[in-house]
Amino acid sequence: MITPNVRVATGFYTNWDSLTKVDDKVLAWVKKHPKIKPRKVILSSLEEAAYTLDEALKIGGKEYLISKEVYDRLNSTFSFEEKRLGGNGCNMGLALYEIGLTPLVSYPFRPPNLMLKSPDFKVACRDGFKKPKQAVRCGDPEYDHLIFEYKEEPEKGIHISGRHILSWDLMSFQGIFDEDFFFYAFSREYTDILVFAYAHLLLPEYREKTREVADRLSEGKRPKVHFELGEGSFESVKYAIKIFSDSQCTDSWGLNEKECVKYFGAESESLEDVKNAALEAAKKYGLDRVCVHTLTYSFSISKFDVGKEVEALTKASMVAAAKTMGSIRENLDKVSSLPTTEVRFERGRLEGYNFCLVPAYKNPNPKILTGLGDAFAAVQATFALT
């Protein structure tokens, strides 16, 4: 797949994902519970949570920040029995680990249960790199994101497959960073490629934490950098867009079609509108590369070699599809047996940029629906920026 000596760092957060499947009990609750459209960044009532889940089953899941009270009430209402390693940085690292790399993964907090469950990533410590089980800090808190996964069943009112995330996480909300990770990941002496997401979980009152990231990346020794936007706190992501574009401290940005509408002003989620918005964003923000990924296709608008871009999108699509089958490592060779969407492959030029469009693979019986965007982001960035 890729040479194993490429040094990739992924961040900024590792946490628990607690999952439940949307079954008849969940559907009954969503149908009967009163619903209120969210008014603020943090959902503060079950009525708001019910509204977002109802919308997710119709048009696709998103990620919302929730209060501790809502978190506790959801936990007492539903059985979140399955626990997986999660967080953008960890999901990215897991995908790279399963294709043969040993990434440096960010762990701001290092509680025993989390670290002992982690594979043999590299973890940054003051005296160098260690494995997670060697970097345990007893007493560190654990944070948890509640995830509803669902498969398309129109007869039950589920019109799309996906996942819906409700997060209560002070680590991410307040921008608590792994300072040891920053030391190694932000320097090309130790890292070739840095891939990260965080801004969508950052509360607006902590948005200045983005300046800390930008200042560190602007010190003149950074590696190649891919920033994944994410859906959540609109104000914090827009602020990161401004700060990173003003500083010109990143090489590549990634997002999905919904985020193209939200942050880049695409008129709709149609391929043509999303492509136009991504192109205008690349020009407006002075980017070398923008990558958009959806359930049906992915494309890049890039100043890099178009052949490398095609390889990056194709490999990333295969990895994401393998993850839906349960395990990247065990299923990567089986992906070619899956059908692809009806989107036609394209490659060419677009106003001074290279453009390529790749159809996604279709898995009619997915086992995993969470972390697919992170897996795609990490793999495509690693191939494109190497």
Side-chain angles (χ1 to χ4, degrees):
M1 291 281 288
I2 196 168
T3 53
N5 58 347
V6 176
R7 303 171 301 172
V8 186
T10 63
F12 289 142
Y13 295 112
T14 300
N15 50 256
W16 290 114
D17 283 345
S18 291
L19 296 102
T20 190
K21 302 294 183 183
V22 173
D23 55 14
D24 290 343
K25 177 184 176 181
V26 176
L27 288 171
W29 181 85
V30 171
K31 183 177 181 179
K32 294 177 182 178
H33 203 284
K35 301 169 188 67
I36 298 175
K37 188 174 182 178
R39 294 160 291 183
K40 297 182 179 180
V41 174
I42 296 182
L43 308 187
S44 58
S45 69
L46 282 183
E47 288 77 10
E48 290 176 314
Y51 178 95
T52 68
L53 185 53
D54 187 46
E55 288 291 295
L57 301 179
K58 297 174 184 175
I59 61 174
K62 298 182 179 179
E63 184 163 8
Y64 287 89
L65 317 183
I66 61 175
S67 68
K68 180 64 163 61
E69 179 185 358
V70 172
Y71 170 83
D72 288 338
R73 292 181 68 184
L74 287 171
N75 248 327
S76 65
T77 303
F78 302 109
S79 298
F80 293 92
E81 295 179 350
E82 184 180 358
K83 236 176 173 58
R84 299 179 195 153
L85 290 169
N88 300 110
C90 185
N91 285 331
M92 293 171 179
L94 286 168
L96 296 175
Y97 186 79
E98 289 202 58
I99 64 169
L101 277 66
T102 306
L104 170 63
V105 177
S106 177
Y107 286 84
F109 292 119
R110 303 175 180 185
N113 290 338
L114 191 72
M115 303 306 282
L116 295 176
K117 182 75 171 179
S118 297
D120 287 341
F121 297 147
K122 290 187 289 187
V123 179
C125 300
R126 291 184 180 181
D127 55 349
F129 300 133
K130 295 182 179 179
K131 295 179 180 180
K133 62 187 177 185
Q134 299 168 325
V136 169
R137 286 199 302 251
C138 294
D140 273 11
E142 298 185 17
Y143 289 106
D144 189 16
H145 295 193
L146 304 180
I147 300 178
F148 295 85
E149 289 192 341
Y150 45 90
K151 296 180 183 179
E152 182 177 350
E153 295 181 87
E155 67 278 8
K156 291 187 175 183
I158 305 176
H159 299 282
I160 189 170
S161 296
R163 89 292 179 265
H164 191 62
I165 305 174
L166 301 173
S167 304
W168 180 78
D169 177 356
L170 293 181
M171 173 179 62
S172 303
F173 289 4
Q174 298 176 4
I176 299 172
F177 296 137
D178 180 345
E179 292 297 331
D180 292 327
F181 173 86
F182 274 26
F183 175 82
Y184 293 102
F186 284 39
S187 170
R188 59 176 171 265
E189 181 180 350
Y190 305 101
T191 299
D192 299 312
I193 300 167
L194 169 62
V195 188
F196 65 82
Y198 75 99
H200 60 299
L201 294 174
L202 192 63
L203 293 179
E205 54 263 41
Y206 290 93
R207 66 180 189 173
E208 288 297 324
K209 298 290 286 187
T210 288
R211 286 194 179 273
E212 182 179 333
V213 178
D215 288 347
R216 296 285 285 270
L217 289 174
S218 301
E219 292 175 355
K221 57 180 181 180
R222 70 171 178 85
K224 294 287 187 179
V225 176
H226 176 82
F227 167 48
E228 195 72 17
L229 276 66
E231 192 160 16
S233 173
F234 175 82
E235 187 176 338
S236 296
V237 174
K238 288 294 285 186
Y239 188 70
I241 287 172
K242 173 176 171 47
I243 296 301
F244 290 152
S245 61
D246 287 349
S247 302
Q248 290 293 292
C249 60
T250 58
D251 302 284
S252 171
W253 291 2
L255 67 170
N256 64 31
E257 76 279 25
K258 291 181 172 59
E259 293 155 17
C260 253
V261 173
K262 188 171 184 177
Y263 303 126
F264 290 172
E267 293 184 8
S268 75
E269 294 179 14
S270 72
L271 172 56
E272 196 62 26
D273 285 344
V274 168
K275 182 171 74 171
N276 289 337
L279 174 62
E280 291 307 309
K283 294 189 291 187
K284 177 180 179 179
Y285 299 123
L287 300 171
D288 287 338
R289 183 175 187 271
V290 174
C291 177
V292 175
H293 47 89
T294 79
L295 292 175
T296 54
Y297 64 83
S298 60
F299 71 74
S300 68
I301 293 170
S302 169
K303 293 182 179 179
F304 302 143
D305 177 73
V306 69
K308 181 176 284 190
E309 291 289 348
V310 171
E311 181 186 28
L313 299 185
T314 302
K315 297 295 188 185
S317 297
M318 293 177 66
V319 166
K323 188 175 179 73
T324 69
M325 300 167 79
S327 165
I328 296 170
R329 182 179 288 116
E330 293 177 6
N331 294 293
L332 197 55
D333 291 340
K334 303 174 186 175
V335 169
S336 58
S337 66
L338 294 175
T340 59
T341 62
E342 290 71 30
V343 174
R344 293 181 62 182
F345 170 83
E346 292 182 33
R347 64 185 286 173
R349 295 285 290 171
L350 193 64
E351 296 188 29
Y353 291 86
N354 288 317
F355 174 78
C356 64
L357 171 69
V358 173
Y361 289 92
K362 295 191 296 186
N363 180 1
N365 296 297
K367 295 180 180 178
I368 293 177
L369 293 162
T370 303
L372 305 181
D374 294 327
F376 181 94
V379 174
Q380 61 84 25
T382 299
F383 274 91
L385 299 178
T386 296

